[in-house]
Amino acid sequence: MTTDHLPDTTAPVAPRGRPRDAGRDRALMDATLTELRLNGYSGLTTAAVARRAGVSTATLYRRWSSKQDLVVGAAQAWAEDLGPDHDTGTLPGDLGALLHDKAAALQGPSGLLLRAILGEAAHNRALADVLYDAFILPLQNRVLALLERGVLREEIPPVEDPPVVAEMVIGPMVSHTFLLPDDDGRDHGDDIADRLLPYLLRALGHRP
């Protein structure tokens, strides 16, 4: 995943002028997430983000040169953190842990950002690329690892197309979390995680 739009805090040569304030960077990322949640991508303005973060627009533009760069930076800053891969000793345990970690991520900051920019990414290549790097690849990598363990344990036959399994996780969980009306107080993410698990196991040919 590229990090060209993130503030560079590891450069070996000390920058000229005043050092970069990491606290301002975080304030701007927090403000960007809040503005996206309230107004969506189309309604977000750099002026509103700077005002909410308590900085000048000049400070913002020294870090990100445009609204798109700012949102790309926010997506990278709030990249989905699924947590460590869990080797529970069984495929149902591994896959169940992944599904619940995905549910938690969708309810957190990365899920809020994903909801706000998903539509814009359909016709914005830069946003589509960062969503793939920050949200799809981490899930694909974890699915690949747990499938490999399942095959080694002889719980399932070799999987011909592991990325499809990742898509079978992403699609139902995103649609259930983002599109299902939240009118009953339930945690829809954990609900679909539990309900989806047996279907995925059957699709994979799981042999207990």
Side-chain angles (χ1 to χ4, degrees), residues 82-150:
L82 292 173
D85 182 25
H86 302 287
D87 184 355
T88 66
T90 69
L91 180 63
D94 292 356
L95 189 54
L98 169 62
L99 290 169
H100 282 277
D101 286 347
K102 177 66 178 177
L106 288 174
Q107 297 293 334
S110 64
L112 291 174
L113 189 141
L114 183 63
R115 185 195 296 263
I117 66 175
L118 198 56
E120 179 68 20
H123 48 83
N124 185 315
R125 184 73 257 173
L127 289 180
D129 287 345
V130 77
L131 288 185
Y132 179 78
D133 288 343
F135 294 87
I136 305 300
L137 278 182
L139 182 63
Q140 285 186 346
N141 291 337
R142 196 160 150 189
V143 165
L144 179 61
L146 67 85
L147 292 179
E148 287 178 346
R149 291 196 298 270

Side-chain angles (χ1 to χ4, degrees), residues 31-117:
T32 301
L33 182 64
T34 299
E35 287 295 320
L36 282 169
R37 178 176 59 83
L38 293 175
N39 302 306
Y41 183 85
S42 62
L44 179 141
T45 66
T46 53
V49 170
R51 184 167 55 251
R52 183 176 292 276
V55 304
S56 68
T57 52
T59 296
L60 185 153
Y61 283 124
R62 280 196 294 269
R63 290 154 168 80
W64 295 278
S65 61
S66 67
K67 168 180 166 175
Q68 176 177 289
D69 283 353
L70 175 65
V71 174
V72 166
Q76 291 170 330
W78 295 107
E80 187 165 71
D81 182 11
L82 292 173
D85 182 25
H86 302 287
D87 184 355
T88 66
T90 69
L91 180 63
D94 292 356
L95 189 54
L98 169 62
L99 290 169
H100 282 277
D101 286 347
K102 177 66 178 177
L106 288 174
Q107 297 293 334
S110 64
L112 291 174
L113 189 141
L114 183 63
R115 185 195 296 263
I117 66 175

Side-chain angles (χ1 to χ4, degrees), residues 181-196:
D182 186 14
D183 56 4
D184 55 11
R186 291 186 304 161
D187 187 334
H188 291 161
D190 285 332
D191 175 60
I192 193 59
D194 291 334
R195 291 165 56 192
L196 186 58

Side-chain angles (χ1 to χ4, degrees), residues 15-37:
R16 289 176 292 178
R18 183 179 299 175
R20 178 65 62 77
D21 185 342
R24 286 184 177 179
D25 294 339
R26 177 50 59 185
L28 283 163
M29 292 295 89
D30 291 344
T32 301
L33 182 64
T34 299
E35 287 295 320
L36 282 169
R37 178 176 59 83

